Coordinates of all heavy atoms in Angstrom, one line a residue:
V1 N -64.4 -133.9 221.4 CA -64.8 -133.1 220.2 C -63.7 -133.0 219.2 O -64.0 -133.2 217.9 CB -65.2 -131.7 220.7 CG1 -65.4 -130.8 219.5 CG2 -66.4 -131.7 221.6
C2 N -62.5 -132.8 219.6 CA -61.4 -132.8 218.6 C -61.3 -134.1 217.9 O -61.0 -134.1 216.7 CB -60.1 -132.4 219.4 SG -60.1 -130.7 220.0
S3 N -61.5 -135.2 218.6 CA -61.4 -136.5 218.0 C -62.4 -136.7 216.9 O -62.1 -137.2 215.8 CB -61.5 -137.6 219.1 OG -60.5 -137.5 220.0
I4 N -63.6 -136.2 217.2 CA -64.7 -136.3 216.2 C -64.4 -135.5 215.0 O -64.5 -136.0 213.8 CB -66.0 -135.9 216.8 CG1 -66.5 -136.9 217.9 CG2 -67.1 -135.8 215.7 CD1 -67.7 -136.4 218.7
I5 N -63.9 -134.3 215.2 CA -63.5 -133.4 214.1 C -62.4 -134.0 213.2 O -62.5 -134.0 212.0 CB -63.2 -132.0 214.6 CG1 -64.4 -131.3 215.2 CG2 -62.6 -131.1 213.5 CD1 -64.1 -130.0 215.9
L6 N -61.4 -134.5 213.9 CA -60.3 -135.1 213.2 C -60.7 -136.3 212.4 O -60.3 -136.6 211.3 CB -59.2 -135.5 214.2 CG -58.4 -134.4 214.8 CD1 -57.4 -134.9 215.9 CD2 -57.6 -133.7 213.7
A7 N -61.6 -137.1 213.0 CA -62.1 -138.3 212.3 C -62.9 -137.9 211.0 O -62.8 -138.6 210.0 CB -63.1 -139.1 213.2
L8 N -63.7 -136.8 211.1 CA -64.4 -136.4 210.0 C -63.5 -135.9 208.9 O -63.7 -136.1 207.7 CB -65.4 -135.3 210.3 CG -66.6 -135.7 211.2 CD1 -67.5 -134.5 211.6 CD2 -67.5 -136.7 210.5
V9 N -62.5 -135.1 209.3 CA -61.5 -134.6 208.4 C -60.8 -135.6 207.6 O -60.7 -135.6 206.4 CB -60.6 -133.6 209.1 CG1 -59.4 -133.2 208.1 CG2 -61.3 -132.4 209.6
F10 N -60.3 -136.6 208.4 CA -59.5 -137.7 207.8 C -60.3 -138.6 206.9 O -59.8 -139.3 206.0 CB -58.7 -138.5 208.8 CG -57.5 -137.7 209.3 CD1 -57.4 -137.1 210.5 CD2 -56.3 -137.7 208.5 CE1 -56.3 -136.4 210.9 CE2 -55.2 -137.0 208.9 CZ -55.1 -136.4 210.1
S11 N -61.6 -138.8 207.2 CA -62.5 -139.7 206.5 C -63.0 -139.0 205.2 O -63.6 -139.6 204.4 CB -63.7 -140.1 207.3 OG -64.5 -139.0 207.7
G12 N -62.9 -137.7 205.0 CA -63.3 -137.0 203.8 C -64.8 -136.5 204.0 O -65.3 -135.9 203.0
V13 N -65.4 -136.7 205.0 CA -66.8 -136.3 205.2 C -66.8 -134.8 205.5 O -66.0 -134.3 206.2 CB -67.5 -137.0 206.4 CG1 -68.9 -136.5 206.7 CG2 -67.5 -138.5 206.1
K14 N -67.8 -134.1 204.8 CA -67.9 -132.6 204.9 C -69.3 -132.2 205.3 O -70.3 -133.0 205.0 CB -67.5 -131.9 203.6 CG -66.1 -132.2 203.2 CD -65.8 -131.5 201.9 CE -64.3 -131.7 201.4 NZ -64.0 -131.1 200.1
I15 N -69.4 -131.1 205.9 CA -70.7 -130.5 206.2 C -71.3 -129.9 204.9 O -70.6 -129.1 204.3 CB -70.7 -129.5 207.3 CG1 -70.2 -130.2 208.6 CG2 -72.0 -128.9 207.6 CD1 -70.0 -129.3 209.7
A16 N -72.5 -130.2 204.5 CA -73.1 -129.7 203.2 C -74.6 -129.5 203.4 O -75.1 -129.7 204.5 CB -72.8 -130.6 202.1
Y17 N -75.2 -129.1 202.2 CA -76.7 -128.9 202.2 C -77.3 -129.9 201.3 O -76.9 -130.0 200.1 CB -77.0 -127.5 201.8 CG -76.6 -126.4 202.8 CD1 -75.4 -125.7 202.6 CD2 -77.4 -126.1 203.9 CE1 -75.0 -124.8 203.5 CE2 -77.0 -125.1 204.8 CZ -75.8 -124.4 204.6 OH -75.4 -123.5 205.4
S18 N -78.3 -130.6 201.8 CA -79.1 -131.5 200.9 C -80.2 -130.6 200.3 O -80.9 -129.9 201.0 CB -79.7 -132.6 201.8 OG -80.7 -133.3 201.0
V19 N -80.3 -130.7 199.0 CA -81.3 -129.9 198.2 C -82.6 -130.8 198.0 O -82.5 -131.7 197.2 CB -80.8 -129.4 196.9 CG1 -81.9 -128.5 196.2 CG2 -79.5 -128.6 197.1
N20 N -83.7 -130.4 198.7 CA -84.9 -131.2 198.5 C -85.8 -130.3 197.6 O -86.2 -129.2 198.0 CB -85.6 -131.4 199.9 CG -84.8 -132.3 200.7 OD1 -84.7 -133.5 200.4 ND2 -84.2 -131.8 201.8
Y21 N -86.1 -130.9 196.4 CA -86.8 -130.1 195.4 C -88.0 -130.9 194.9 O -87.9 -132.1 194.5 CB -85.9 -129.8 194.2 CG -86.5 -129.0 193.1 CD1 -86.7 -127.6 193.2 CD2 -87.0 -129.7 192.0 CE1 -87.2 -126.9 192.2 CE2 -87.6 -128.9 190.9 CZ -87.7 -127.5 191.0 OH -88.3 -126.8 190.0
N22 N -89.2 -130.3 195.0 CA -90.4 -130.9 194.5 C -90.7 -132.3 195.1 O -91.1 -133.3 194.5 CB -90.4 -131.1 193.0 CG -91.8 -131.1 192.4 OD1 -92.8 -130.8 193.1 ND2 -91.9 -131.5 191.1
G23 N -90.3 -132.4 196.4 CA -90.6 -133.6 197.2 C -89.5 -134.7 197.1 O -89.7 -135.8 197.7
R24 N -88.4 -134.4 196.5 CA -87.3 -135.4 196.5 C -85.9 -134.7 196.5 O -85.8 -133.5 196.2 CB -87.4 -136.2 195.2 CG -87.3 -135.5 193.9 CD -87.4 -136.4 192.7 NE -88.7 -137.0 192.6 CZ -89.7 -136.4 191.9 NH1 -89.5 -135.2 191.3 NH2 -90.9 -137.0 191.9
E25 N -85.0 -135.4 197.1 CA -83.6 -134.9 197.1 C -83.0 -135.0 195.7 O -82.9 -136.1 195.2 CB -82.7 -135.7 198.1 CG -81.3 -135.1 198.3 CD -80.5 -135.9 199.3 OE1 -80.8 -136.0 200.4 OE2 -79.5 -136.5 198.8
I26 N -82.5 -133.9 195.2 CA -81.9 -133.9 193.9 C -80.4 -133.6 193.8 O -79.8 -133.8 192.8 CB -82.7 -132.9 193.0 CG1 -82.5 -131.4 193.5 CG2 -84.1 -133.2 192.8 CD1 -83.0 -130.4 192.5
A27 N -79.9 -133.1 195.0 CA -78.4 -132.8 195.0 C -78.0 -132.5 196.4 O -78.8 -132.3 197.3 CB -78.1 -131.6 194.1
V28 N -76.7 -132.5 196.5 CA -76.0 -132.1 197.8 C -75.0 -131.0 197.3 O -74.1 -131.3 196.5 CB -75.3 -133.3 198.5 CG1 -74.5 -132.7 199.7 CG2 -76.3 -134.3 199.0
V29 N -75.1 -129.8 198.0 CA -74.2 -128.7 197.6 C -73.5 -128.2 198.8 O -73.9 -128.4 199.9 CB -75.1 -127.6 196.9 CG1 -75.7 -128.1 195.6 CG2 -76.1 -127.1 197.9
T30 N -72.4 -127.5 198.5 CA -71.6 -126.9 199.6 C -72.2 -125.6 200.2 O -72.0 -125.3 201.3 CB -70.2 -126.6 199.1 OG1 -70.3 -125.7 198.0 CG2 -69.5 -127.9 198.7
E31 N -73.0 -124.9 199.3 CA -73.6 -123.7 199.8 C -74.9 -123.5 199.0 O -75.1 -124.0 197.9 CB -72.7 -122.5 199.6 CG -72.1 -122.3 198.2 CD -71.1 -121.2 198.2 OE1 -70.6 -120.8 199.2 OE2 -70.9 -120.7 197.1
K32 N -75.8 -122.7 199.6 CA -77.2 -122.5 199.0 C -77.1 -121.7 197.7 O -78.0 -121.9 196.8 CB -78.1 -121.8 200.0 CG -78.3 -122.6 201.3 CD -79.2 -121.8 202.2 CE -79.5 -122.6 203.5 NZ -80.4 -121.9 204.5
A33 N -76.1 -120.9 197.6 CA -76.0 -120.0 196.4 C -75.9 -120.9 195.1 O -76.2 -120.4 194.0 CB -74.9 -119.1 196.5

């Protein structure tokens, strides 16, 4: 688990939210607000 987390951190990949609006993805945001 630590290896996976470290790999994500060093690769720049972050956990975010995909915004699906009117049937299509229009953005990726860090938070719903």
Side-chain angles (χ1 to χ4, degrees):
V1 171
C2 290
S3 298
I4 293 172
I5 294 173
L6 287 173
L8 292 175
V9 170
F10 281 103
S11 65
V13 176
K14 297 180 181 179
I15 298 175
Y17 292 97
S18 172
V19 182
N20 293 292
Y21 181 82
N22 205 15
R24 60 178 68 89
E25 182 182 299
I26 62 172
V28 174
V29 298
T30 55
E31 53 186 22
K32 297 179 180 180

